[in-house]
Amino acid sequence: MKEDAQYNIISGIISRQRINSLKKEIFRKSIHICSAFVPLALKYFYRPVIFLLLFALVFYSVSELLRIKNHPIPLISKITETAARKRDENKFVLGPVTLVIGILLAVFTLPLPSATVGIFALSFGDGLASLGGKLMGKVQIPGCHGKTVAGSLTCFFAVYIASFCYCRNTFVSLILAVVAMFLEMLPLNDFDNVLIPISIGSVYFYISNM
């Protein structure tokens, strides 16, 4: 009976940890997915949106530097702490920085249609992949630092659907989804936020100009 009670306590603790981890992931990736609105905003308010992205990048970076030096900015630092992964505890949380940099690089180096496809791949593909992995990921991919088959397949279908809704081309959407899936599998931590939009946008630009 004593062993059963101890087992139940341990199981309860593990369950709460998983629930808290899932809540953090949902909160973090909801911010990630919201970046899908950036291309639409750029279409009508290009310069103000670019300015806001640059301002957000600088303001967030300053607030993070202050937070890790025990001088938190109340709202911003609280949001960061709520969304931070376990690996980011007591460290500079790099995800929002690489997210904005990835978006800006795609916008500055590619035509807006190509940048849009790249940003959609980042928002939906990378954004939903980790949620799929958390919810359904039991089979891990060897050598990918914990990436799961479920997460990679979620990325594939998310990019395929988002790309098809934008370009209405099955073959192009399939290629983009395959490339995005393999990029998402790479153990890059937060730097996939930089690689995915510029890479997928470039692939789309190349294919659409063949």
Side-chain angles (χ1 to χ4, degrees):
M1 292 294 292
K2 186 177 180 181
E3 291 180 354
D4 290 341
Q6 290 176 340
Y7 175 80
N8 290 333
I9 291 171
I10 293 171
S11 298
I13 292 171
I14 293 173
S15 297
R16 285 195 295 271
Q17 288 176 340
R18 286 178 177 173
I19 291 171
N20 290 334
S21 176
L22 182 59
K23 286 180 178 179
K24 280 179 175 285
E25 199 68 28
I26 291 172
F27 181 74
R28 180 169 52 254
K29 293 307 179 180
S30 65
I31 298 173
H32 212 89
I33 292 169
C34 284
S35 64
F37 292 105
V38 170
L40 178 63
L42 285 168
K43 186 176 180 180
Y44 298 102
F45 310 102
Y46 185 88
R47 289 186 178 180
V49 172
I50 294 297
F51 172 79
L52 286 173
L53 287 172
L54 290 170
F55 174 79
L57 179 61
V58 173
F59 182 75
Y60 172 81
S61 298
V62 171
S63 71
E64 269 299 271
L65 289 172
L66 290 172
R67 183 181 68 84
I68 61 178
K69 291 183 178 181
N70 295 318
H71 300 292
I73 296 176
L75 179 60
I76 304 300
S77 297
K78 183 63 178 177
I79 291 174
T80 303
E81 290 174 357
T82 302
R85 292 185 176 99
K86 189 174 182 61
R87 72 180 188 216
D88 294 324
E89 289 179 1
N90 302 316
K91 298 179 182 177
F92 189 107
V93 180
L94 201 58
V97 173
T98 56
L99 179 70
V100 175
I101 289 175
I103 291 171
L104 289 173
L105 281 176
V107 171
F108 289 154
T109 60
L110 296 167
L112 187 56
S114 299
T116 297
V117 172
I119 293 169
F120 282 174
L122 173 64
S123 302
F124 298 113
D126 187 54
L128 294 174
S130 58
L131 289 178
K134 288 279 186 183
L135 291 171
M136 301 174 289
K138 294 183 179 179
V139 181
Q140 293 190 353
I141 303 171
C144 292
H145 291 210
K147 299 293 180 74
T148 64
V149 173
S152 295
L153 289 176
T154 301
C155 177
F156 173 85
F157 286 111
V159 174
Y160 176 81
I161 293 169
S163 299
F164 182 78
C165 289
Y166 184 80
C167 70
R168 301 292 178 178
N169 187 308
T170 302
F171 178 69
V172 171
S173 300
L174 183 62
I175 291 176
L176 295 174
V178 170
V179 174
M181 180 180 69
F182 280 105
L183 290 176
E184 193 277 331
M185 287 168 57
L186 297 175
L188 299 173
N189 292 331
D190 292 314
F191 288 98
D192 56 358
N193 292 341
V194 178
L195 182 63
I196 288 175
I198 190 69
S199 299
I200 299 302
S202 297
V203 171
Y204 178 74
F205 177 76
Y206 176 77
I207 293 174
S208 60
N209 285 280
M210 287 178 63

